[in-house]
Amino acid sequence: MRFSLFLTFFVSLNLSVFGKFAPPVNDELINAINITNTSAYCSGDAEFNNLEATSSNYNKALSWPAVGKDVWFKFTASKFDVNISVTGKINTNDANTLVNPLVALYSFDATTGSISELPGTVATSNNVSSLYKGALSVGQVYYVRVSAANDATGTFKLCIDNYFPPIKPGQDCGTFSVLCTKETFTQLNVSGTGANNHESAGTCLGTESNSAWYMFKAAKPGDFTFVITPTVTTNDIDWIFYDLGVNGDCSKISAATAIRCASGSGVTCSPSYYKTGLSMTETDLTESSGCPPGQNGFVKYVELEQDHVYAILIDNFSSGNNGFTLEFDGTADFAGPTAEIDVQKINPCTDSQAYIFESKSTNFASLKWSFGEGASLASANTTGPFTITYNTPGEKVVVLEAKGTNGCNVVTTQTFIVANTPAKPAITASKVNLCQGDVLKLSTPFLNLATYHWSGPNGYTSEVQNPEIPATGPEIIGTYRLYVQVGDCVSEVNSVDILSVDLKPEAEFSIVVNNKCEPDQTFSFVNTSKNYTKLTWDFGPDVKSQLATANDSKILTFASTGLKTITLTVETNNGCISTISKDILVEIKPEKPEISMNQPLFCIKDVIRLSVPEQAGITYAWSGPNNYSATTNAIEIPITDFNQAGRYEVVLTSGTCSSDPASIIVPPIAKIPVANFYTDPTFNTKFAAPIPITFTNTSLYGDFFEWNFGDGLISTEQSPTHIFQSEGVFSITLTTFSKNGCSNSVTQGDLTIKKNASTFVPNAFSPNGDGINDELIIGITNLKKYRVQIYNRLGNQVFFTDNIFENWNGTFKGNPLPVGVYYYVIFGTNIANNSVKYSGSVTLIR
């Protein structure tokens, strides 16, 4: 058969692609994960993911913002409609982590390698994305593409429900949809109340909002339950269940025939609920609107009576044109045609295989067959039997549709795989001699549509293609067998033997430092390893000497200091290895340093500078008076009080080795001298040379003195008398020194010396602001004391001063005086301590 070559190509293609990409395996369409049972299929939470996925080369889906990190799934349509949902992160503690999931549906042409997107109805809510598509071709393979906005990745739950939809119901009883089977279905786009929104009058429901009517006939008696789940979980679903009797029709719809009713507002209650229906565990027959205590959306199940007609009114109280899913259960069944396929296999798993299909349906008016992709006969409409062959391998779906006289349409499917007997699978093992703690990895090449059947020691089984088995101990030793199965075709068994599992060696050693910090220090490396047959030490290249001791231990000395890495490797005869590394610091006690000090004696406001030579890899710890501490090799201590004198110590540390402390004494801190003096006579006198001035020293805390008289001469006497021989203005500086070298200076001035002695008072002056002769300047020298008084012609005093350097500007109390003659009197004491007096007149002109 020609499909053998195709199957070989498809398998090799899958192998090449699988090897190219990292997980997930369904990163590309060619490796799409096959979902085999799509009747209300749901994966587990976080069962799938797009972690580390790459973007496909196909264009983004029509409703997607971008391709994102997409992954692929596939299924073979066995029914006409499909609902697909991808659930990401809904709550904080969810196992699902994908945010803003996206979903799209495609068909794929294997001959051209092209895909076609099948637009459907897409809805998103709270990180759940769903897609509905109708009018699928039964037997065709469809591809589901999952991604997320903003290149998001994470884990998710996938649900696929491939079903036959009932005829869309109307909003009034007269336009009901007939239910022929108890198969689960989803109804979308329920909106409006039809011509009569009061058919529910007198029941718990009241007025209808968005209604759908269904009717069925019971084929046999039994218990009956159902669950209604809104497609949008925030929607409030209400419903009524009617028993219309043997020949029931819509004229019997009333409160009397409503045997069950539920209209609670579950989505607004606390705790909230959104599912509702009939339950085997409930006892109440009705639930009223609102949130009465004890209501949960479910009421007691119904015992159906054979041949009775029942109606279900489902009403969505919420707006939004939304729908719901309806699931049935219980022992009762619906009246309608049955569809049943009988199949016989001829020469299965060979090139000449064929299949005989015959209908065993009952109570039907017409039949319609679809024999699936690659069938020698595409369709038929009689009972059969039909002998069918297939020209392509793979999963096939045969569909038989039986139509009844009451408008019921029942479809059944037969799914099987067309394949040859697989070749004996190749097996590889990661190791046949293992170490405890290893992982035994068994692997076999990928085979499309295959299931894998592993068995091994201690009842081990697995259906994973490439299982991994922890090597916990000898219990995993033995023969592992594998056969692969494609459909009903089973390969020969292959096997591999695992020979041994050694105890895992444990490398361990301890370190003892001998003569720590001394130049002759040694290190003992004590081996405490377990379960080994061979041992190797690696001490690095800087070993000076080594000595072997008991139990593979060592005693070493190193040629230099510094960080050393010691590695110990132990091994078993099977090659099981354990390695451990530890670091040690080889260090020697630093030598005691010598401290340098910047000066022998100190005063307040000096800076103490202490230092030791700087060395690489050394830390410094200083201590001293006033709780002083520092960590540098050189320190500076500004002197602010006398308590900073005393012992300063420093300790040098290399690693964990410290030197003996070195110390130095800072002598007592001296006070800073305070320089001061006065003169006799004082400076507020005009002198004439030569003039002797006596300087009286009033300094504090001084031991030595230096006078600078400003005329080029100095003196070291404590209180000298100095004769100024020349005229000029002189400033005199006294510097006082302490024995510690501390000093302080003070300067006084200005001392005015005239060349010749004089007694001169002008007879006139003109204070008119022209800068010439604006003040009365009295020129009298060598007076130790001086006072001048000036009177007007009425004998009133208008000016007074005892400062010989203060002149009169012709004003009194800040006001200009008039032109005229004024009289002065000068009193004083000369250098010889004799009293003198001068008087006269002066004319003020302007």
Side-chain angles (χ1 to χ4, degrees):
M1 296 176 71
R2 66 177 183 175
F3 71 74
S4 298
L5 292 176
F6 177 85
L7 180 62
T8 303
F9 167 76
F10 191 73
V11 170
S12 63
L13 183 59
N14 270 271
L15 285 172
S16 65
V17 174
F18 182 79
K20 181 179 179 182
F21 291 96
V25 295
N26 57 333
D27 190 34
E28 293 298 328
L29 178 144
I30 197 67
N31 285 325
I33 293 175
N34 188 41
I35 308 298
T36 56
N37 179 12
T38 55
S39 179
Y41 162 83
C42 272
S43 73
D45 283 336
E47 183 171 337
F48 299 117
N49 70 81
N50 66 336
L51 302 171
E52 300 182 17
T54 58
S55 300
S56 296
N57 292 326
Y58 303 116
N59 293 333
K60 71 178 183 67
L62 294 175
S63 62
W64 292 11
V67 172
K69 309 299 184 183
D70 55 346
V71 290
W72 295 84
F73 303 85
K74 66 180 181 180
F75 69 95
T76 301
S78 59
K79 296 162 190 175
F80 300 142
D81 285 20
V82 67
N83 271 304
I84 305 167
S85 67
V86 179
T87 302
K89 183 182 180 68
I90 296 178
N91 299 310
T92 303
N93 298 321
D94 271 2
N96 302 314
T97 61
L98 190 62
V99 176
N100 295 326
L102 304 169
V103 62
L105 184 66
Y106 294 83
S107 62
F108 175 65
D109 187 340
T111 58
T112 63
S114 62
I115 64 172
S116 298
E117 184 178 355
L118 305 176
T121 302
V122 177
T124 59
S125 175
N126 194 25
N127 280 332
V128 178
S129 182
S130 61
L131 180 148
Y132 164 77
K133 181 70 178 76
L136 299 184
S137 297
V138 173
Q140 182 173 333
V141 177
Y142 293 92
Y143 289 81
V144 179
R145 188 183 190 185
V146 176
S147 186
N150 303 315
D151 281 343
T153 60
T155 58
F156 58 88
K157 176 181 180 179
L158 175 67
C159 293
I160 302 177
D161 186 13
N162 185 202
Y163 63 95
F164 292 114
I167 298 174
K168 185 174 180 180
Q171 279 72 52
D172 296 316
C173 179
T175 57
F176 61 82
S177 175
V178 176
L179 300 178
C180 302
T181 72
K182 290 166 60 178
E183 184 173 335
T184 298
F185 68 89
T186 299
Q187 190 69 62
L188 298 177
N189 304 323
V190 176
S191 179
T193 60
N196 183 0
N197 67 347
H198 294 287
E199 291 178 291
S200 57
T203 69
C204 73
L205 178 58
T207 304
E208 301 167 39
S209 299
N210 298 282
S211 54
W213 283 85
Y214 301 94
M215 193 173 290
F216 67 88
K217 185 175 183 179
K220 64 177 182 177
D223 52 72
F224 177 66
T225 64
F226 59 78
V227 176
I228 307 171
T229 303
T231 55
V232 177
T233 58
T234 56
N235 282 186
D236 179 10
I237 298 292
D238 304 322
W239 58 270
I240 309 171
F241 189 74
Y242 294 92
D243 184 351
L244 304 181
V246 175
N247 296 311
D249 57 47
C250 289
S251 65
K252 296 184 179 181
I253 294 296
S254 68
T257 58
I259 60 175
R260 299 288 188 273
C261 187
S263 62
S265 302
V267 294
T268 62
C269 299
S270 180
S272 65
Y273 58 88
Y274 57 89
K275 292 186 177 184
T276 183
L278 296 173
S279 169
M280 296 297 295
T281 60
E282 299 298 317
T283 59
D284 53 337
L285 303 183
T286 184
E287 290 190 348
S288 57
S289 61
C291 299
Q295 290 194 171
N296 61 2
F298 287 88
V299 298
K300 184 178 179 180
Y301 68 96
V302 175
E303 286 285 348
L304 299 187
E305 298 183 51
Q306 186 172 340
D307 296 329
H308 272 229
V309 176
Y310 298 91
I312 306 174
L313 166 60
I314 301 176
D315 188 75
N316 189 342
F317 183 75
S318 308
S319 61
N321 195 28
N322 298 320
F324 51 82
T325 296
L326 189 55
E327 303 172 70
F328 301 102
D329 203 355
T331 59
D333 208 348
F334 297 173
T338 66
E340 183 179 349
I341 300 173
D342 179 69
V343 60
Q344 298 180 38
K345 300 177 182 178
I346 302 174
N347 300 321
C349 304
T350 68
D351 287 347
S352 58
Q353 61 188 301
Y355 299 83
I356 299 175
F357 300 101
E358 186 175 3
S359 170
K360 300 296 182 182
S361 305
T362 62
N363 196 26
F364 63 87
S366 63
L367 296 174
K368 181 180 179 181
W369 289 90
S370 174
F371 294 107
E373 183 183 36
S376 56
L377 178 64
S379 62
N381 54 19
T382 63
T383 301
F386 304 99
T387 300
I388 305 296
T389 60
Y390 292 90
N391 62 11
T392 58
E395 187 176 60
K396 309 295 179 181
V397 179
V398 175
V399 181
L400 175 60
E401 180 179 0
K403 291 186 178 181
T405 57
N406 62 350
C408 284
N409 182 22
V410 179
V411 180
T412 187
T413 61
Q414 182 76 42
T415 301
F416 57 96
I417 295 176
V418 176
N420 284 340
T421 299
K424 182 179 181 179
I427 302 177
T428 57
S430 53
K431 291 181 181 180
V432 296
N433 296 303
L434 295 123
C435 305
Q436 192 177 50
D438 285 350
V439 175
L440 171 61
K441 298 180 180 180
L442 301 173
S443 60
T444 188
F446 172 79
L447 182 61
N448 188 44
L449 298 177
T451 57
Y452 305 87
H453 302 273
W454 292 90
S455 61
N458 290 316
Y460 173 79
T461 60
S462 175
E463 292 188 356
V464 177
Q465 177 193 348
N466 300 314
E468 297 184 358
I469 306 165
T472 55
E475 64 272 11
I476 74 162
I477 297 173
T479 301
Y480 290 83
R481 296 176 175 84
L482 170 67
Y483 69 89
V484 295
Q485 182 175 356
V486 180
D488 295 332
C489 305
V490 179
S491 72
E492 293 183 43
V493 176
N494 202 354
S495 64
V496 63
D497 293 327
I498 303 304
L499 304 179
S500 65
V501 177
D502 279 359
L503 287 175
K504 185 175 182 179
E506 299 177 29
E508 186 54 71
F509 65 93
S510 59
I511 303 172
V512 178
V513 182
N514 308 309
N515 305 319
K516 181 176 173 62
C517 300
E518 300 300 330
D520 58 348
Q521 64 185 319
T522 61
F523 297 85
S524 297
F525 300 95
V526 182
N527 173 38
T528 55
S529 303
K530 299 176 183 178
N531 307 327
Y532 69 93
T533 56
K534 180 182 177 183
L535 177 146
T536 304
W537 288 98
D538 183 358
F539 299 106
D542 202 31
V543 176
K544 182 177 181 182
S545 66
Q546 63 175 290
L547 175 66
T549 60
N551 195 33
D552 297 317
S553 300
K554 297 282 187 178
I555 298 178
L556 267 74
T557 60
F558 289 91
S560 65
T561 60
L563 189 68
K564 314 293 180 183
T565 298
I566 313 303
T567 301
L568 174 61
T569 302
V570 294
E571 188 175 349
T572 67
N573 290 331
N574 273 1
C576 303
I577 294 175
S578 176
T579 299
I580 187 171
S581 295
K582 296 184 180 182
D583 290 337
I584 61 170
L585 186 62
V586 178
E587 48 193 356
I588 295 178
K589 174 181 178 180
E591 293 185 4
K592 178 180 177 180
E594 185 156 334
I595 301 175
S596 298
M597 188 163 61
N598 59 322
Q599 60 194 56
L601 299 171
F602 296 93
C603 304
I604 293 290
K605 296 185 180 180
D606 279 352
V607 177
I608 302 171
R609 292 184 175 87
L610 305 177
S611 65
V612 295
E614 187 174 13
Q615 303 177 50
I618 296 294
T619 60
Y620 308 87
W622 290 89
S623 60
N626 280 358
N627 296 316
Y628 178 78
S629 64
T631 57
T632 56
N633 71 300
I635 60 175
E636 294 187 357
I637 309 165
I639 299 175
T640 58
D641 64 61
F642 299 105
N643 294 328
Q644 290 171 282
R647 179 183 297 275
Y648 286 82
E649 289 187 349
V650 64
V651 174
L652 276 56
T653 299
S654 174
T656 61
C657 299
S658 297
S659 69
D660 294 333
S663 64
I664 194 169
I665 301 296
V666 173
I669 308 299
K671 294 181 179 178
I672 296 178
V674 179
N676 202 10
F677 67 92
Y678 66 87
T679 64
D680 186 27
T682 61
F683 284 5
N684 59 348
T685 303
K686 296 179 180 179
F687 297 104
I691 184 69
I693 303 295
T694 299
F695 296 90
T696 302
N697 189 340
T698 58
S699 301
L700 301 176
Y701 318 125
D703 297 306
F704 311 102
F705 310 96
E706 180 181 278
W707 297 86
N708 186 332
F709 299 112
D711 58 356
L713 299 177
I714 61 174
S715 172
T716 57
E717 296 181 32
Q718 183 170 349
S719 296
T721 297
H722 181 67
I723 300 174
F724 290 88
Q725 301 287 353
S726 59
E727 67 175 336
V729 179
F730 303 97
S731 294
I732 290 81
T733 299
L734 169 62
T735 302
T736 304
F737 300 89
S738 71
K739 294 177 180 178
N740 283 30
C742 307
S743 64
N744 179 250
S745 296
V746 64
T747 299
Q748 295 186 30
D750 296 321
L751 175 63
T752 302
I753 306 294
K754 299 293 184 179
K755 183 176 182 180
N756 298 308
S758 66
T759 301
F760 171 73
V761 179
N763 57 12
F765 74 108
S766 56
N768 54 10
D770 62 358
I772 301 173
N773 201 26
D774 282 337
E775 293 183 340
L776 176 64
I777 300 175
I778 299 174
I780 300 178
T781 59
N782 293 343
L783 291 183
K784 294 168 64 175
K785 292 182 180 180
Y786 165 84
R787 184 177 77 228
V788 60
Q789 296 168 268
I790 299 177
Y791 301 90
N792 62 16
R793 61 185 180 84
L794 300 176
N796 296 322
Q797 182 174 290
V798 296
F799 178 74
F800 165 82
T801 184
D802 57 4
N803 183 353
I804 200 171
F805 295 98
E806 183 178 2
N807 304 317
W808 183 43
N809 61 4
T811 63
F812 178 65
K813 295 182 179 182
N815 298 312
L817 292 175
V819 174
V821 177
Y822 293 82
Y823 301 93
Y824 65 85
V825 179
I826 299 173
F827 302 94
T829 303
N830 61 18
I831 296 300
N833 293 320
N834 296 319
S835 297
V836 296
K837 178 181 179 182
Y838 304 97
S839 63
S841 64
V842 61
T843 301
L844 187 155
I845 59 177
R846 295 192 185 275

